[in-house]
Each structure stands twice: as structure tokens, then as C-alpha cells.
Amino acid sequence: MTSNMKRLIIRFSWILLLALKAHALPAAAGVQVAELKCGYAVNPLGIDDAHPLLSWHLLSDRRGTLQQAYQILVATSPEKLTEDAADAWNSGFVISTQSAGIKYDGGELQSRQRYYWKVRIRTDGGTASGWSAPAWFETALLHPSDWQGEWITYAAGMPGRVLYFKTIWNKDKPIKQARMYIAGLGFYELHINGKKVGENVLDPAQSTYSKRIYYATYDVTDRLTEESNVIVATVAPGWYGVPSLLAQMEIVDTDGNRQTLNSDWFRHVIPGPTLYSTVFDGESYDARLESPKINGLEIAPMMDKDWAWAYNTADPGNRMETTKADPIQIMDTIVPATIKELKTGVYVIDAGRNLAGWAEIKVKGKEGTKISLKFSETLYADGTVNQENLRNAKVTDTYILSGKDTMEIWHPAFTYHGFRYVQIEGFPYKPAVGDITIQTVRSSMPITGKFNCSNKLLNDIHRMVVNTEASNLHSVPTDCPQRDERMGWLNDLTVRIEQAIYNFDMSRFYPKFIADVSDTQDEQGRITCVAPFRFGMRPADPVCASYLLLAYQSYKFYGNAQVIADHFSGMKAWTDYLYSRTRNGIVDYSYYGDWCPPIEFGLDKSPISRDTPGKMISTGYLYYCAKILSEMAAVIGKDAEAAKYRRLSEEIAVAFNREYWDETTGGYASNNQASNSFALYMGLVKPENVKRVAENIAKDVEKHDFHLTTGNLCTKYLLETLTEYGYPETAYRIATQTSYPSWGFMLSKGATTLWERWEYATGGDMNSHNHPMMGSVGSWFYKYAIGINPDFAYPGFERFVIKPYIFNDLTFVEGELNTVKGLIKSVWKKQGDKLMLNVSVPGNTIAELYIPAQSEKSITESGRSALKAKGLKFIRMDEGYAVFEAGSGEYSFRNIMPNPSLLVH
């Protein structure tokens, strides 16, 4: 008998024993399993993953509650969702603390099937919880053969038009269930009997259409209410160019009969009131062309002067996939309080902040009146919109009134804009407040983080970061939302990932986007600077470690090991390609490096750094990729690759230090902030040199009057290395600057979102005023001021650290992070000579708490010595902190304020 077989027998015996005990013991008091998710979504409709990932929260009214085992039941009906009848999967009790990223391992999932599931757990006390409330997931079309139709289009004579593909379906029996599976390229909306189906806009998600196309699943059972039902798919060019449709509606009546309406049913096509729609230029809508022919019962038998007959077209891509990321939706509506009339008939409104979305108008007037809406981030001195930085993008919407007696309400459907100001011309009267509203539009993932402190400037910076990130989540993480670009740049993303993941739930968005990156990769392993590939270079700049970090951070924050397994070969191929481009261990090319430092530190005042060698940055990122690839290889059991890439990282580290370390200065390359903080953050500095390097960084910051000299990448590393290596107050002074260059300087110039450059500029160059690449300070707030840090060794917050830095200038900091395990809170406040720290640790987690203290004996928790508090275990004193291990629960600590000098690390 092999050792593997012995282990399996032992494991099975334990599982059997636990399962038997589960029936014999009462349910654990005060323990509840809740927040069930499949694929990191609640009750997802239309999935195509054969082994979806399951997760849940553990709620408990007692401290230190941990899961020791779980049992999952999955069934094809609610009635079968019992331990004896679960016909899809009964996991039995599995000995595991894992409660996120658990792969479904039951019978083969079938297309078009709803599955019901529930969970119970065994606690560390040995008792079983009650069963969770049931949840469900429904599969879509799992196999290519499930699609019964083909793509259709009609381009002849209608270039740039939005097309309306129509059918009429007559109901002759009551309906039990109806589903629509649909994708319209570039964007589409679905209407049934004149009403829009769903809340998604700008759907489907962007992708490399030749590789994969995303489709949505809609439950339309309650929409088919009429005897004759009019079904219209409105399709715009979007990012694709030629409106194209693939649709399949499946209807099951109460007798069990199934009818399928595939794309052949939608061949009746007609142009409508949307004259043109483009992503960059905007949308033009003529309400006089609205016609009952579109949503009414009229339909031509074939073709006439109004109707065309859609024809088949080649498949745009080789794979259809269900929507993976949170869909784009309207997230908020703003009612501007003032409308300025600059001159007769010319009005400008201020949305109050920079954003991404569109304007909705409510108007009544004479037929043929043309209203134009121009969008911009800044104004000229005369108050009119300044569109110079939009380059070739026209960013203008037009609406022509029908002249109806009722109020006409309109907003564009297939474009969006980045703007703060809207200039309106042609309005038939002076618009009143409420006649023009602003709707913000983005991918609809929830906000998960909160930060607030006693310094208003930092709160404003945090808000500016969140506003910027929100403006640039449009199924891909765009660089900007306003000009002729709006693309998923990977160099920016390398330092943006962590900030976004603290502020938003990226558990679905990032696995989707790493697939976009993978789809750009060629046989040599080369990825591109932008995904989908519409701009930039192949190969990408080596700074694009974001390819690997998307998987690395998805595992670290969400416990998603599957994304590592799915993309390991691609990440390995990119790392291998970079290694093939080395000469004596140094990567031989760079495009961007530490992009956009303050202009005086740019090469000939360009965005390329003058003092930070691009090849040094490239080489450091090869080291970084090899290092984290080694860690990810170990996660998925690829021990040989783990060892190989660990050795590769060591080899590159030797070359990096040989080439760029300067023993005389005690720093790297030019000994500037960027070079030194980059090397220190990456772990490339030899232990005996760490102190010198950190001192040099701090001295350089002081030399520049506590201002940064870094660009988009090394700004992150500057703040974090200063904080971690003994100079947190220096980092704080950088973060709180109000003079150029700084985030406070942006705010002083009226910014509500981050700029592309540290300089204020409005011309036609690189002057985006809504650019998240300088937003890494956002993660600094969470990691250091709040102090919440996950641990890669314990993914999905199985264990994590709370280590707040008590900055001299602040009197309080409060923050929270909603994780896959539940809500983590960290609040500290100075009260005279006392320090208060309140912490919330969710169920099934363990926190390592760093409490500022001169001695562990001086700390109380809920009024008694922390050394005697339930749920706490003292570990050690560590450079001015008392370190405790804390199980789940709410904790309230008090302590004498330690000497600030003790908190220097």
C-alpha cells in the first residue's frame, strides 16, 4: 500500500468519524453560516464554470470561533436539498478551515439547470452548526453545441447606426420558465414589450472578441405577459464597430414543452432614432425618428424601405462565455444645484466632481429643436468647456426633439464620458434645477473599504482616490474615462491593484481582466501594454507585473487559487520571455519605467524619468515576477517550478546589485527616491545595506522639503518603505503636503479626481484629470493608518495583521474592510495620555494585533488586563508593539500612549 493510499484512508476515516459525530451532537449555539456565494456572487444566474468556487461567512456571538470542518450539499431542487437526497453533491464533512474559494466537486453540472446548496460547519469546539439558509446558482449554456443559432448583422447602407433587431413571439400556453442568452457587439440593450430588461448598460464587457465574447443570461419569465410579445435587441457599434447579435431565448411552458428562439428569429432589422453612437465621440439621437414599428406589433415580411433583413456573419470569436465581472450599471444620480447662463442659449452645469457617466435631460419643446451637450473636465476663463485634453474625442451628445406634448426624457445608451462640466446649447428655455441630471456609470462591484481620520486633507485625498478608481472601472480598469483612450493599461495597474482591492470588491473583476491579459499573449509569451490590445506595444513594458499580481492578490485577498492554476502557464511564459531579454542578468529594454515624475525630474521634461534607469526598473520587475511566481507555484503544488523561479529571482538579485548598487553613496543608481525605494520594496537590498538605503531615502525627501520626486510606480514604494523602515512621519509629511508636487496640491487646484501628471495642465498633451495611476496612497491609508494587512500564507484572511501606525499629527483613525470572511474594523483614538484601539475580527479568522505599548502589562481589554481577556493570546513585544493573537470577536483596548520613538522600525 502506497503512502498516498494510507493518507487517503486516514483522511476518509476522519471524515467519516466527523460526519457520524455531526449527527450525534447538538448544533453549536450562537454559530451561523451566512452570506453564501458562488463564484463570489450571491445567487448567480447564468454561470458556465464546471467547478464554481463557493464561499460563506461564519457568524458567532462568542469570541474565537473557528471552523474545523464543513459540509456542503448541492441538489437540483429545493426538495432534494437534504442530506439523504442531495443529488449533485454531498461533500460529507471535510476537515478544513477554508470557507472561501472552495471548488465544487460534485457530479457534472448540466446546462440550464438551477442548483440549490447549503452549508454547515463544525467549530473548533467539536459541535456542528445548523444548516445555512439555502442559496442557488444556475448554469447557462455550458457547451458550444447548446447554441442553436448563428451571429447576424446588417452593415450595408447603415454605417455607424444603432440597429434594432426585432421579433414577435406569440404565447399560446402559460409559461413556466423563460431565459434569454444574449450578446450584442459592441453594446446592446434588450427590450420586451417596450420595457428594458435588466439594469446593465454598456454590455457586454470588453474583451478580445476574437478570443472570447461575454454573454448575459436573463430571466424573462415575467416579461412575456402578452399574447403577442415584441422582443427587440438594440445593438450599437461600441468597441466592436459593426452591430452584431447572437441571441437565444428558451421558453418552457407549464406542460414541459421547450421552444427556442435563436438569432434567426431576429432577422428583422430597422434603424431607429439613434443616428450614431461611438465610445469616444458621443451619441446623436433624433426623437422624430421614434416609431411604433420598433416596439409595436408591426413587422415587415422581409424587406422594404424601412426594414432590412439581417444576414449571417462569421463568428467574431471562438468562445462564448458567461459574464464574469460585475456588469456596468448606473450607480448614482446627481442633481446639479446651479445652472449658469454664459450668454443667451449657452448654459454650463457643474456636476460637483469629476466622474464617468452621462447627462440625462428632461425637456419639452418644438419639433426639430436640437440640443447639444459638450463635456469637459475643465473650463476656459470665460466659463465655457475646455475640451483640448480630449484630443480626437468629440465627447458631444445631441438630441433632437420630437415635439411631443409630454416631457421628453433622454440620456445616451451606448457611450459614456469623463467630465465635471456640461455645456448645453439649444435648450428651448433656461433649464431649471432637475431638468439636467448626471448619472454615474461604472462596473457595479460594491465598495468594501472605509477610511476616515482627524485630518480632513487625508480624507479628501482618500475620497479623490476612490472617485478616480470608480471612474475607471468599465469592465476593464481604464487609464482614464474622457479622451480617445480609455484603455486597460497594465503599467499603471501594477501599483493600482492593491489600492482598488482595498476600496472595491474586485473578486470577480480581476479574474476577468487577467483573462483579457492572457488573450493578448503570443506564442513567445509576450503580452501587450494594454488589454484588450488596442494600443501600446508588444511586448509590454516589463513593469507590467500586474499580469501576475492580478492572480497573486486575488489569492491573497479572496482565497482564489483557481485563478493561479488557470493562468500559471501564461504568467510563467511572460516571466520566461523577460528572462530571455536579459544580458548578464539585466533586462535589455524599457519604455516607461517610473512614468511621469514631477516634470523637472523628467528626461528633457518628458514623462520618462531622468534619474531612474528604465532598465533597472525592468530588471527589478523580472526579479519580482520570478519571486511571486515561485510563491504561486507552491500554492498549486508545482514544487519544481517554485524552486526554479526562486533560484531565478536570486540570480536576478545578484545581477541587479552588481549593476546598480553604489557602495560609495549607499544607494542604487542615482541614489534618488525612486531607485532606492524600489530596490527596498522589492527585497533586493542586502540586509547589511538596508539601513543606509532607508536613511538615504529619508534624507532625499528632506532635501526636497518633504516632497516626492517619484512617478506612478515608485510613489507607492516610497511611502511604504519609509513607513516600514523607520520613517513613518516622513511618509506622513509627504502624504499631507499641499504644495507642488503632492495630492494636496491637486486638491488646492480644485481637483476631485487624481491627475495624470503632478502638474496642473489643461492643454492637448497628457493632461487627464481623472487618472488612477497616482492613487497608490489609497492603499497606504489601509495598510498603515488603519493597519489592515492580509497574509499570502493564509489566503482569504484566514489569518491577517492589524498594525496601525500612530502618527503624531492624527488624533484618530477609523476604517473597515469587508472581506470574504466578513467585516474587519480597526479604530484608534488618542484620549489624553491614553490610546484607545477598537478592533472587529470576523468569524473563522485569526488576527495578529499590534498594539502600541511600552509593556503588554499596561494594556486593558474591555476593562480588564488584556493578558487575561478571553479570545486573546499574548505573543511577544516587538519594537514598541505588544503583539497578541486574537480570535473572532469585538475587542476594546486601552493603553498609556507609548513614546513615539518606540514606534520607529
Side-chain angles (χ1 to χ4, degrees):
M1 182 181 295
T2 67
S3 58
N4 282 339
M5 290 179 64
K6 289 179 180 178
R7 283 195 294 269
L8 286 172
I9 291 172
I10 292 171
R11 183 173 183 271
F12 178 78
S13 299
W14 272 105
I15 292 171
L16 181 61
L17 179 62
L18 286 169
L20 291 171
K21 285 184 176 182
H23 293 290
L25 295 172
V31 178
Q32 180 183 358
V33 180
E35 299 290 328
L36 274 63
K37 292 185 178 182
C38 173
Y40 298 95
V42 176
N43 297 338
L45 175 67
I47 69 168
D48 60 1
D49 189 343
H51 300 279
L53 301 181
L54 307 177
S55 62
W56 55 86
H57 289 182
L58 182 58
L59 308 179
S60 176
D61 57 4
R62 67 179 180 87
R63 286 184 176 180
T65 301
L66 289 173
Q67 170 189 301
Q68 294 295 345
Y70 65 79
Q71 183 180 11
I72 301 172
L73 299 184
V74 185
T76 55
S77 72
E79 295 75 23
K80 292 180 179 178
L81 194 62
T82 68
E83 193 170 357
D84 296 328
D87 56 341
W89 188 30
N90 182 343
S91 70
F93 265 101
V94 178
I95 301 172
S96 174
T97 60
Q98 187 180 4
S99 57
I102 297 168
K103 186 186 296 186
Y104 168 83
D105 197 25
E108 181 180 355
L109 298 179
Q110 302 300 310
S111 295
R112 312 173 180 88
Q113 175 67 54
R114 179 166 292 191
Y115 293 88
Y116 301 84
W117 66 292
K118 62 182 180 180
V119 183
R120 66 176 174 177
I121 62 99
R122 180 181 298 284
T123 69
D124 53 329
T127 55
S129 73
W131 287 104
S132 69
W136 57 265
F137 60 89
E138 183 173 315
T139 56
L141 305 179
L142 301 183
H143 311 290
S145 59
D146 290 331
W147 288 96
Q148 299 182 23
E150 297 183 8
W151 284 89
I152 58 174
T153 189
Y154 188 85
M158 299 181 188
R161 295 295 293 270
V162 172
L163 301 184
Y164 298 75
F165 297 82
K166 179 179 178 179
T167 193
I168 297 175
W169 178 74
N170 297 314
K171 179 171 66 175
D172 55 7
K173 289 184 178 180
I175 296 173
K176 177 184 178 182
Q177 175 180 294
R179 299 288 185 267
M180 172 65 93
Y181 308 102
I182 182 170
L185 297 181
F187 300 132
Y188 76 93
E189 288 185 345
L190 176 66
H191 290 78
I192 297 179
N193 298 322
K195 296 181 180 180
K196 182 181 173 181
V197 176
E199 297 180 357
N200 301 351
V201 298
L202 303 176
D203 218 31
Q206 289 188 57
S207 63
T208 301
Y209 302 122
S210 61
K211 297 291 183 69
R212 74 184 77 215
I213 297 169
Y214 294 105
Y215 69 94
T217 304
Y218 291 106
D219 181 350
V220 295
T221 308
D222 296 333
R223 296 300 189 106
L224 301 173
T225 58
E226 307 298 325
E227 181 177 335
S228 295
N229 295 275
V230 180
I231 307 164
V232 178
T234 309
V235 188
W239 289 101
Y240 185 62
V242 178
S244 303
L245 176 68
L246 181 66
Q248 186 163 307
M249 180 179 285
E250 299 187 359
I251 305 161
V252 180
D253 65 29
T254 51
D255 291 336
N257 301 307
R258 180 182 298 270
Q259 183 179 5
T260 299
L261 281 62
N262 62 21
S263 300
D264 287 342
W265 281 68
F266 292 85
R267 292 186 182 275
H268 300 279
V269 62
I270 189 172
T274 306
L275 303 178
Y276 73 82
S277 177
T278 71
V279 175
F280 294 156
D281 290 344
E283 199 158 295
S284 179
Y285 189 95
D286 188 344
R288 296 172 299 180
L289 301 179
E290 292 176 344
S291 169
K293 293 181 179 180
I294 296 175
N295 288 302
L297 292 175
E298 178 182 344
I299 198 165
M302 277 289 285
M303 301 175 70
D304 61 18
K305 64 181 181 64
D306 296 316
W307 292 93
W309 187 251
Y311 49 80
N312 292 110
T313 185
D315 285 358
N318 63 7
R319 184 161 74 243
M320 298 294 297
E321 290 191 9
T322 58
T323 299
K324 297 296 191 291
D326 305 272
I328 300 173
Q329 296 180 347
I330 298 170
M331 301 302 295
D332 191 19
T333 298
I334 299 169
V335 182
T338 59
I339 302 172
K340 291 185 178 180
E341 185 172 12
L342 302 181
K343 54 185 177 181
T344 303
V346 179
Y347 307 93
V348 170
I349 62 171
D350 181 355
R353 62 180 173 89
N354 212 355
L355 53 85
W358 51 56
E360 180 177 88
I361 60 174
K362 299 177 182 179
V363 63
K364 185 177 180 181
K366 184 178 178 181
E367 178 183 354
T369 301
K370 183 177 180 180
I371 300 171
S372 70
L373 301 96
K374 298 178 181 178
F375 301 83
S376 75
E377 298 183 301
T378 61
L379 299 174
Y380 286 116
D382 65 358
T384 58
V385 294
N386 181 351
Q387 294 187 316
E388 291 179 20
N389 70 326
L390 306 181
R391 302 193 299 215
N392 290 320
K394 294 182 176 62
V395 193
T396 299
D397 295 334
T398 60
Y399 180 82
I400 301 175
L401 275 67
S402 67
K404 293 185 294 188
D405 292 335
T406 57
M407 189 71 72
E408 300 181 40
I409 302 174
W410 177 82
H411 64 70
F414 304 112
T415 188
Y416 74 99
H417 313 296
F419 66 98
R420 175 172 178 168
Y421 304 100
V422 187
Q423 182 171 311
I424 305 102
E425 299 180 42
F427 215 84
Y429 44 84
K430 182 177 180 178
V433 172
D435 287 343
I436 301 168
T437 56
I438 306 300
Q439 296 177 336
T440 64
V441 172
R442 66 166 173 86
S443 294
S444 56
M445 71 282 286
I447 291 176
T448 52
K450 292 182 180 179
F451 168 80
N452 185 45
C453 72
S454 58
N455 188 323
K456 181 180 181 299
L457 174 62
L458 294 184
N459 296 335
D460 290 343
I461 293 171
H462 167 70
R463 189 177 304 108
M464 181 168 62
V465 170
V466 173
N467 285 345
T468 310
E469 188 64 42
S471 299
N472 284 282
L473 297 173
H474 291 93
S475 78
V476 301
T478 59
D479 60 328
C480 59
Q482 77 293 89
R483 68 188 182 208
D484 55 349
E485 199 165 349
R486 313 184 200 186
M487 306 211 180
W489 280 94
L490 301 185
N491 62 330
D492 299 355
L493 194 63
T494 293
V495 292
R496 177 181 164 191
I497 286 174
E498 200 171 44
Q499 168 272 120
I501 216 168
Y502 272 111
N503 284 308
F504 295 88
D505 181 356
M506 309 299 281
S507 59
R508 302 177 68 202
F509 190 91
Y510 279 164
K512 181 269 178 188
F513 189 64
I514 196 175
D516 292 333
V517 179
S518 175
D519 285 345
T520 74
Q521 194 165 35
D522 67 10
E523 64 281 355
Q524 297 180 51
R526 302 179 303 174
I527 59 174
T528 59
C529 288
V530 167
F533 185 32
R534 298 192 176 98
F535 199 80
M537 304 285 193
R538 176 184 280 123
D541 190 295
V543 304
C544 296
S546 50
Y547 184 18
L548 282 74
L549 286 169
L550 287 163
Y552 187 89
Q553 298 289 16
S554 291
Y555 176 72
K556 185 177 179 180
F557 277 79
Y558 304 120
N560 187 344
Q562 190 60 46
V563 71
I564 295 177
D566 289 346
H567 294 282
F568 185 81
S569 61
M571 296 186 293
K572 177 176 176 289
W574 171 237
T575 305
D576 289 344
Y577 173 76
L578 291 180
Y579 184 57
S580 77
R581 293 294 303 267
T582 59
R583 303 293 181 268
N584 298 318
I586 303 300
V587 176
D588 67 359
Y589 78 103
S590 171
Y591 310 141
Y592 313 115
D594 189 32
W595 188 244
C596 288
I599 196 167
E600 62 267 34
F601 300 100
L603 183 63
D604 297 325
K605 297 188 176 181
S606 75
I608 296 174
S609 176
R610 180 191 66 200
D611 303 320
T612 309
K615 291 180 182 179
M616 182 195 75
I617 298 293
S618 296
T619 303
Y621 276 118
L622 171 56
Y623 163 84
Y624 192 38
C625 286
K627 178 175 177 288
I628 64 176
L629 186 65
S630 172
E631 294 179 45
M632 289 190 284
V635 167
I636 58 175
K638 292 183 177 291
D639 296 339
E641 283 89 345
K644 172 184 174 181
Y645 288 98
R646 183 172 59 253
R647 290 192 299 269
L648 175 57
S649 69
E650 293 166 356
E651 174 189 333
I652 298 303
V654 170
F656 184 95
N657 279 281
R658 182 184 64 240
E659 184 73 16
Y660 296 109
W661 170 252
D662 187 331
E663 180 63 29
T664 302
T665 63
Y668 287 84
S670 66
N671 199 31
N672 66 341
Q673 295 174 21
S675 299
N676 286 333
S677 62
F678 177 74
L680 194 55
Y681 180 92
M682 294 296 167
L684 285 159
V685 182
K686 294 179 180 179
E688 63 269 24
N689 294 328
V690 166
K691 185 177 180 181
R692 290 181 72 191
V693 172
E695 286 177 351
N696 280 342
I697 298 170
K699 287 178 181 177
D700 193 82
V701 172
E702 185 173 359
K703 183 178 75 173
H704 290 93
D705 195 22
F706 294 93
H707 288 79
L708 52 75
T709 63
T710 47
N712 66 336
L713 302 175
C714 293
T715 293
K716 173 182 175 65
Y717 309 141
L718 175 66
L719 291 179
E720 297 197 11
T721 55
L722 283 170
T723 307
E724 292 195 9
Y725 289 94
Y727 302 92
E729 293 299 326
T730 302
Y732 182 86
R733 289 187 67 174
I734 293 171
T736 54
Q737 284 290 346
T738 57
S739 56
Y740 169 82
S742 68
W743 296 282
F745 176 73
M746 296 183 192
L747 288 165
S748 74
K749 297 297 182 181
T752 57
T753 49
L754 297 160
W755 300 340
E756 184 175 17
R757 304 295 301 263
W758 292 110
E759 298 77 33
Y760 179 79
T762 59
D765 295 325
M766 287 176 43
N767 295 319
S768 164
H769 284 224
N770 198 336
H771 227 81
M773 72 181 186
M774 299 298 189
S776 57
V777 65
S779 54
W780 184 78
F781 295 144
Y782 287 95
K783 295 173 73 172
Y784 302 104
I786 302 171
I788 299 174
N789 287 276
D791 186 341
F792 185 84
Y794 299 94
F797 288 89
E798 287 188 14
R799 297 180 71 101
F800 63 95
V801 172
I802 294 183
K803 184 181 181 180
Y805 284 74
I806 312 303
F807 295 104
N808 293 337
D809 181 58
L810 297 179
T811 59
F812 76 87
V813 169
E814 52 190 15
E816 62 183 51
L817 183 65
N818 201 355
T819 74
V820 290
K821 291 292 199 301
L823 189 65
I824 298 171
K825 290 184 179 181
S826 173
V827 178
W828 62 262
K829 185 177 182 179
K830 298 173 184 175
Q831 295 178 325
D833 65 344
K834 298 288 195 303
L835 178 68
M836 175 271 287
L837 174 64
N838 290 341
V839 171
S840 296
V841 179
N844 200 31
T845 64
I846 295 175
E848 191 171 76
L849 304 180
Y850 284 70
I851 304 172
Q854 297 184 36
S855 168
E856 72 277 12
K857 296 177 182 178
S858 65
I859 304 171
T860 63
E861 194 284 312
S862 297
R864 62 183 299 178
S865 171
L867 297 175
K868 298 179 181 180
K870 186 176 182 180
L872 290 177
K873 178 183 177 183
F874 175 69
I875 305 299
R876 67 187 183 278
M877 290 299 299
D878 187 348
E879 297 182 310
Y881 287 92
V883 184
F884 287 83
E885 186 178 273
S888 62
E890 305 283 334
Y891 298 89
S892 181
F893 298 98
R894 298 294 186 278
N895 184 36
I896 301 295
M897 275 290 296
N899 187 327
S901 64
L902 294 174
L903 302 179
V904 174
H905 311 289

